[in-house]
Each structure stands twice: as C-alpha cells, then as structure tokens.
Amino acid sequence: MIIRIYHISVKSNYYYEELAKENIEHKEFLKPVRGEITDVNGNLLAMNQIGFSISVMPHLKEDNPRLKVVGEALTEAFPDLNTTVLYKVYKKQNSPYNHKYIKVVDFIPYTDMMRAYAKLSLLPEIKIEAETKRYYPYGKYVAHIIGYTGRSNKKENAVDEVVDIVGKVGKSGLERYYNKVLQGELGYVINKVNATNKAIEELEKVPPKDNKNLVLNIDIELQQMIYKYFENMKETGVAIVMSTTGELIAAVSYPAYDPNLFVGGISFKDWRALQEDPDHPFTNKITHGTYPPGSSIKMGMALAFDKAIPGILEYSEYCNGSMTIGKSTHKFRCWKHGGHGTVPLRKAIRESCDVYFYKKSLKVGIDAMAKNLRSFGLGVKTGVDLPKEYNGVIPDKEWKMRRFKKSWFKGETVISAIGQGYDSVTPLQVARYTALVATGNLVTPHVAKFIDGNATKPEIKPIKFNSLTISEIRKGMYDVCNSRKGTAYRAMHKLPIIVAGKTGTSQVTSIPQSTIRRLKESQLAYYHRSHAWITTYAPFDDPQYVVTVLVEHGGHGGSTSGPMAAEIYKWLYAHGYFKKQPTEEERKALQKSLEETLNSAKHEHAAKPAVHKKPKRPTKPKGIDLF
C-alpha cells in the first residue's frame, strides 16, 4: 500500500500534470514558406504563389445539414469546385479519431479568395488558412533539373515532421535533393484555451525558419537556347555544359514535361500521355539515361592502356580495315573499310581507328581496362546534386559472371575497347571524364551555387597521367575539331575559340558478318540508327568549359551533334563566358603551330613501329563495322 500511495502521489504526478496542461494549452504549428530557386543571374525558376487553403470541421456526418450548407457555400463562391469531389475527400479523412480540420481545397488564389472571404469566414465549420503553391515559370525548359513538389504520402510523413505538417514534399530534381533545406523548419504558437478550445491568451510563439533559397550555376537563357535547338532539330537527346571545375551551366534532357502539372496532382490523362510517349519525356537522361559511349570512350581507353602497361602507347598499330582473334574467322571491323594503315596514338584519336584499340585491348585485358576506366569516372556515379543517379556499366570478368553466370570472351574485350558491347554510361559521366582529360582533375558536378546563402565548394581530385600520353591525346582531340581529317572538322573549325573534342557513334543494333557494305544511317529505321556523341572542351590551351552532346539515333556525332555543340560555343563566347579570349593573331599562331606538328612526317611516325609484321592491305575489304 505504501508503494501504491507513492506511485499515485509522486510518480503519476508528471503524467496527470501533462494531461491537465493539454486541457488548458493548445500548440499549433506554423508552416514555413518554401525557399525559392533562382538561376545564376537571379531569374526565378521555382517560386511560390500566394493563396489560401480551405478545411472543414471533422465529425460531420453525411446527413448533417451543416455539411450540405458548407458544400453549397463553397461551390457558390467558387463555381469550378466539384461538390462530389469535396464530399469524397472529406469522407475519406473523417473519422472519430481525427480531431483536426480536414483540408478539402488545397489552393485558392489570393484574388479569388478576397471576394468570398467575408462570407465564408462566418461559417464556424470552415477554416481558411494562408497557403502557397509552387510554380515553375520556365516549365519544361528546366524540368529535369528543378523537378517538382507534390502531396506527401504516409511514408514521407512518417519520417519528416515538417513534411507531415506541410503536406508537400519535393518529388524529383533539386526539389527532392534539397528538400530539407528548401522546406525550412516549423514554428509554433502555444495558446491558453478555455473549455470550448477557444484561444484566450498567447503563451509562447516561435516563428518558422523559412525562405531558405537555392541559387544555381544554371544559366536559363542558355538552357532555353539548347532546348529550342533540340525542338527545331526534331531529335531527342542530352546536352551538358559544365565548367572544368564542375559547375553545371546548362543540362538539357529533351524532351521534357511541364512540372506545373504535378503540383496540384496530375490528371490520369496527362500521366498516361507521359508514360506512353516513346521519347520518354519523364526520364532525366542526364543522370538516368545510359548509353554505349562508342568512340567517345577512346581517350579514356588509351589512358587506361597506359596505366596498365606503361609504354604500350609508344608503339603504333597497323589497320587494314579489320582483324580476327586466333583461329576464328570472325572479323572485328574498323569503321573505315579500307583501313588506316600505320596508326600512332594521335592518329588513332583523330581518325577514331577501331583496330588500334582492338589490338591494344588484347594486350591489356578487360579487368585492367575496367579498373582504370572506373577510376576516370565512367560506370560510377558522379556525385552530382540530383537524386537517384544511375551507375551505368563498365564490365569486367567478375561483372559478367555475377550478371549472366558466364565466362568472359576475348571478342567482348575488343568491342568494349571501342565503347560497345556491355559498356553503358550516362552523358554526365562523359562530360565529367572529358574535363579530366582536359585538365587532369576529376571533378564532382554540381548544380547549386549557393545553398541558403552558403557557397558550394568544388570537389577536385587530381589524377596523374604520363605527360607525353596525355599531350598526344589532347592533340588528337584538337585534330578532331581542327584538322581536315578530323571527324568534327566541318562543324567545329571556324569557331571564335579553339575547341578540342571527340565524336562517337554508338550502335544500337549489331551488323551481321555477311554485310559487306553497311547501309547509311539515314537508310535505317529510326530506332535502329546509332546514337551520335560529341564531347569537347575549350579553349584548347586553357580549358574552361566542357560541352557534351548526345543525339539519340542521330547517326554520326560529327554531323548531328557537332553543329549543336558549335552553336553552344558561339553562345558562350558571345555572352562573355570565356575568361581569356585570344586575339585573332594569337588564335592563328596557335593553330599554325599545332598544324605544323600534325603535318610533320617525323611527328606522325614518332611512335615506335608495331612489333608484328606489317600485313598486306586486302584488295577487296569486306565490311565496315564491328561485327
């Protein structure tokens, strides 16, 4: 009895004290205003429209005449509201255990509510609260970067108190990645209430922490220009503009969608249209699209060879248009059916000789190739501040065994060496690795410039390369854009700054061995055409920006993706993005110097000759491609 008396008089005191306190005090949370998102020049990309929400008192039964009065008052004030839908929403949330007002209308614009506020506020069953609604002024132009907000679900409410109270959460893009920053922190007010739960005195008030804004590196004018270029081309794809320190100046995934459709809940009709579109407008191809890199991987492949076997690139290879492995009659073809002859490293990059990479890969092996390529940022996440980034695949023996329960074959090694087979990367990975080739630094791409007023810091990881090897690769990339034999010469050689780059054509269907001459890309069915890559950096002598373009089923990188990359560089130059703009005399002097080394016979054959006997050139080459 003594123990029981102690428990009732002492131990239970705190419980009953808190229970009594709840009867006289009422705590109400104050919602924070979601932060805005602006581009680098202060243009609003995500903002808040001001308005009101409408909630109805709980515990009103369907046959209650007061519920009917509320419905009639709302539809009279706002004729566009559907009474049936309002009742349905109310009924779904109304229960004996719910003592909170039930929100039946998420948002009414400020001007519309002002006309009806006086009449509606007289009804005790109706509660009108200040509300904001997310709005995206630039819509589709930046949809895959900004993302959108939507109504939160039970799972999201359970893990975040702010989301539970606000009822909205970032669903994709930066809205999702930086949701905890943008949503702010709850405030609250504690009132003393009487027996009818009416506030009679304010005891404590803590304002919410809101307006936590993002400023991006994105330039919306460039973003729009690129998007409209895709529209005019009537092609799908991706274009990325990134500084060599990782700032994303533009990133377009085309086609896109209007994120404003999702803010208040997308209709079934609109959702089905997005899902059934064969061009996948809802997919963020910047980080979620995985494609064979094709020849755009060749700079990285050469660096991987050199890391695995130092000195291997000092030797030329001979290309007669194809090669076989061992006693097999299967021909692994070069894109140039007549072959390239003796091929040193620079020429292999400039003219994109496949046989050069086939032969080197057999000496190095797939495991060493894959290990080094991943260290260069291919087949791994870039770390960009966008949600759910994909890895892609840079395969090795262990990967194939784990994935298919099968052994690796040498034929798979040679096709991996030119970015085909199992190889798949995201466009952002290609842009990142291009910056590595240009500067020797592996950077982490980032969209945000300032997060709630705090500047983001670039993440840079230096990687050491053989100086002669990286120099020859860069010169080969210069040749691609500025030498007449370069695969992007036509599109890139007349720009106001000197650009270096690499084109790529990644096949989506195999070519039978019986095919002697492949059909032109334009003669193939659209979804059988190759993807067209170009990845570049500029200026050549002082890399500041990377431009990577992928046109889906575009055929050839030089002719399809090249002109878009050229227009992007013209725009960047015209808008003062290049810190150092060389004079015409300086540009001509640099170009002349590089072309002199290109045309020098001594330089062209500086690499040691191939160690094998030079084969005879076939009189009638068979086939022009990979299989």
Side-chain angles (χ1 to χ4, degrees):
M1 291 205 40
I2 292 171
I3 292 171
R4 181 62 179 157
I5 291 169
Y6 169 77
H7 184 269
I8 293 173
S9 60
V10 179
K11 293 288 289 181
S12 299
N13 181 63
Y14 176 78
Y15 169 75
Y16 289 112
E17 188 178 77
E18 288 299 309
L19 200 63
K21 195 174 181 181
E22 287 182 11
N23 288 332
I24 61 171
E25 293 181 5
H26 175 70
K27 184 177 183 179
E28 184 176 354
F29 287 104
L30 304 176
K31 299 177 185 177
V33 177
R34 193 172 182 86
E36 295 177 331
I37 303 175
T38 62
D39 83 337
V40 71
N41 296 313
N43 296 301
L44 279 167
L45 306 181
M47 58 183 290
N48 301 303
Q49 293 180 323
I50 299 172
F52 298 89
S53 64
I54 301 174
S55 301
V56 177
M57 180 189 295
H59 309 151
L60 297 177
K61 296 182 179 180
E62 290 184 60
D63 56 354
N64 191 318
R66 295 304 300 169
L67 184 60
K68 185 177 181 182
V69 170
V70 168
E72 289 175 350
L74 291 178
T75 52
E76 181 182 346
F78 311 109
D80 291 338
L81 294 179
N82 188 312
T83 309
T84 304
V85 173
L86 294 178
Y87 287 148
K88 188 175 180 181
V89 171
Y90 181 84
K91 183 180 178 181
K92 187 176 181 180
Q93 299 182 53
N94 191 26
S95 78
Y97 305 101
N98 177 33
H99 301 289
K100 297 178 181 179
Y101 274 67
I102 298 167
K103 186 182 291 186
V104 293
V105 180
D106 290 330
F107 187 81
I108 296 291
Y110 180 86
T111 52
D112 293 346
M113 178 59 77
M114 287 301 97
R115 294 193 295 266
Y117 182 82
K119 187 174 181 179
L120 293 178
S121 61
L122 295 174
L123 297 174
E125 295 86 1
I126 290 179
K127 184 178 182 181
I128 301 172
E129 294 179 290
E131 190 63 82
T132 59
K133 181 181 179 181
R134 210 59 165 166
Y135 177 64
Y136 305 101
Y138 290 92
K140 62 184 179 181
Y141 295 117
V142 73
H144 291 295
I145 297 295
I146 302 299
Y148 62 90
T149 60
R151 294 171 184 165
S152 58
N153 55 41
K154 290 182 179 179
K155 185 178 179 180
E156 292 163 334
N157 292 340
V159 297
D160 192 321
E161 185 183 30
V162 181
V163 172
D164 186 31
I165 299 299
V166 174
K168 296 172 186 174
V169 68
K171 295 289 188 178
S172 70
L174 295 172
E175 291 277 27
R176 176 172 181 149
Y177 191 90
Y178 288 110
N179 184 69
K180 283 195 174 292
V181 175
L182 291 166
Q183 71 183 3
E185 298 176 27
L186 293 169
Y188 63 85
V189 59
I190 298 177
N191 292 312
K192 181 184 286 187
V193 296
N194 59 20
T196 60
N197 208 33
K198 184 178 180 180
I200 56 175
E201 182 184 352
E202 185 179 290
L203 302 177
E204 185 181 358
K205 183 175 183 179
V206 175
K209 295 179 181 179
D210 52 15
N211 291 313
K212 293 176 173 286
N213 303 326
L214 291 183
V215 178
L216 310 185
N217 293 303
I218 296 291
D219 189 323
I220 192 59
E221 290 185 17
L222 176 58
Q223 189 86 3
Q224 285 180 299
M225 186 277 283
I226 295 171
Y227 194 97
K228 290 175 181 176
Y229 195 101
F230 270 116
E231 279 185 325
N232 293 334
M233 286 175 65
K234 294 181 172 57
E235 300 280 3
T236 63
V238 180
I240 295 168
V241 183
M242 186 181 76
S243 76
T244 49
T245 52
E247 292 89 353
L248 283 166
I249 311 303
V252 174
S253 173
Y254 181 85
Y257 60 93
D258 183 0
N260 293 300
L261 292 173
F262 290 86
V263 174
I266 190 169
S267 68
F268 177 75
K269 180 182 177 182
D270 289 334
W271 176 247
R272 188 170 65 177
L274 285 174
Q275 292 296 302
E276 293 179 353
D277 191 325
D279 293 327
H280 307 290
F282 200 57
T283 299
N284 181 0
K285 298 168 186 175
I286 301 161
T287 55
H288 296 170
T290 55
Y291 307 86
S295 293
S296 68
I297 205 174
K298 287 178 178 175
M299 301 87 71
M301 196 62 70
L303 292 169
F305 294 157
D306 194 59
K307 286 276 188 184
I309 305 178
I312 189 175
L313 300 180
E314 295 177 12
Y315 294 92
S316 301
E317 299 292 348
Y318 190 82
C319 170
N320 64 4
S322 66
M323 62 162 277
T324 58
I325 298 176
K327 296 180 180 180
S328 172
T329 59
H330 183 99
K331 288 187 177 182
F332 295 90
R333 305 167 184 167
C334 187
W335 69 267
K336 188 175 182 181
H337 65 273
H340 291 90
T342 300
V343 185
L345 175 58
R346 181 172 178 177
K347 183 178 178 180
I349 298 296
R350 177 179 74 240
E351 299 180 27
S352 202
C353 175
D354 293 331
V355 170
Y356 179 92
F357 291 90
Y358 293 157
K359 292 182 177 180
K360 297 293 187 193
S361 70
L362 291 174
K363 297 168 187 174
V364 172
I366 189 62
D367 285 345
M369 288 158 53
K371 178 183 176 182
N372 286 305
L373 286 171
R374 292 185 197 122
S375 73
F376 303 157
L378 295 171
V380 296
K381 294 178 181 179
T382 68
V384 68
D385 47 350
L386 290 171
K388 295 186 176 181
E389 183 182 11
Y390 286 8
N391 281 303
V393 174
I394 295 296
D396 56 16
K397 294 177 183 177
E398 182 185 354
W399 174 87
K400 188 184 177 187
M401 182 58 69
R402 187 171 65 250
R403 177 71 175 80
F404 297 108
K405 309 296 184 211
K406 292 181 180 179
S407 300
W408 187 268
F409 299 105
K410 287 184 178 180
E412 294 169 321
T413 299
V414 299
I415 61 173
S416 288
I418 61 165
Q420 294 287 168
Y422 299 119
D423 290 13
S424 67
V425 295
T426 67
L428 189 57
Q429 288 173 10
V430 173
R432 183 194 190 201
Y433 124 92
T434 303
L436 170 66
V437 174
T439 66
N441 294 322
L442 188 64
V443 299
T444 299
H446 53 281
V447 183
K449 188 178 184 70
F450 292 98
I451 304 169
D452 191 23
N454 300 311
T456 56
K457 296 179 180 179
E459 297 178 34
I460 299 174
K461 177 186 176 184
I463 296 180
K464 290 185 178 180
F465 297 114
N466 178 289
S467 57
L468 179 61
T469 298
I470 195 67
S471 176
E472 288 299 290
I473 288 172
R474 290 168 183 166
K475 288 175 182 176
M477 295 177 72
Y478 166 86
D479 297 342
V480 167
C481 297
N482 299 281
S483 164
R484 290 187 181 277
K485 290 187 177 181
T487 51
Y489 173 77
R490 183 176 295 181
M492 309 299 287
H493 78 286
K494 289 185 178 180
L495 295 175
I497 33 89
I498 297 176
V499 178
K502 184 73 186 75
T503 59
T505 302
S506 58
Q507 292 178 235
V508 296
T509 56
S510 62
I511 309 300
Q513 284 283 293
S514 58
T515 300
I516 295 181
R517 287 191 178 274
R518 182 184 171 183
L519 291 173
K520 293 180 180 180
E521 292 285 346
S522 59
Q523 295 174 308
L524 296 172
Y526 177 76
Y527 288 107
H528 287 182
R529 296 175 191 171
S530 302
H531 300 314
W533 286 95
I534 188 168
T535 189
T536 63
Y537 67 87
F540 172 72
D541 59 334
D542 180 26
Q544 295 170 31
Y545 292 98
V546 167
V547 174
T548 299
V549 177
L550 168 72
V551 177
E552 292 180 329
H553 308 292
H556 299 288
S559 58
T560 308
S561 302
M564 181 187 291
E567 288 302 314
I568 292 171
Y569 278 118
K570 289 176 185 176
W571 192 97
L572 291 171
Y573 185 86
H575 288 76
Y577 268 87
F578 292 101
K579 291 178 286 187
K580 178 185 175 184
Q581 299 181 3
T583 63
E584 187 64 23
E585 290 75 18
E586 289 173 332
R587 186 181 185 282
K588 286 180 178 179
L590 177 61
Q591 202 158 8
K592 183 179 179 181
S593 171
L594 290 164
E595 286 174 355
E596 283 175 356
T597 62
L598 169 63
N599 296 326
S600 167
K602 181 180 178 181
H603 174 82
E604 186 67 37
H605 298 285
K608 297 176 184 178
V611 294
H612 60 280
K613 186 177 179 181
K614 179 177 175 180
K616 293 182 180 180
R617 186 185 291 263
T619 56
K620 186 177 180 181
K622 296 182 179 180
I624 62 170
D625 225 299
L626 307 181
F627 305 104

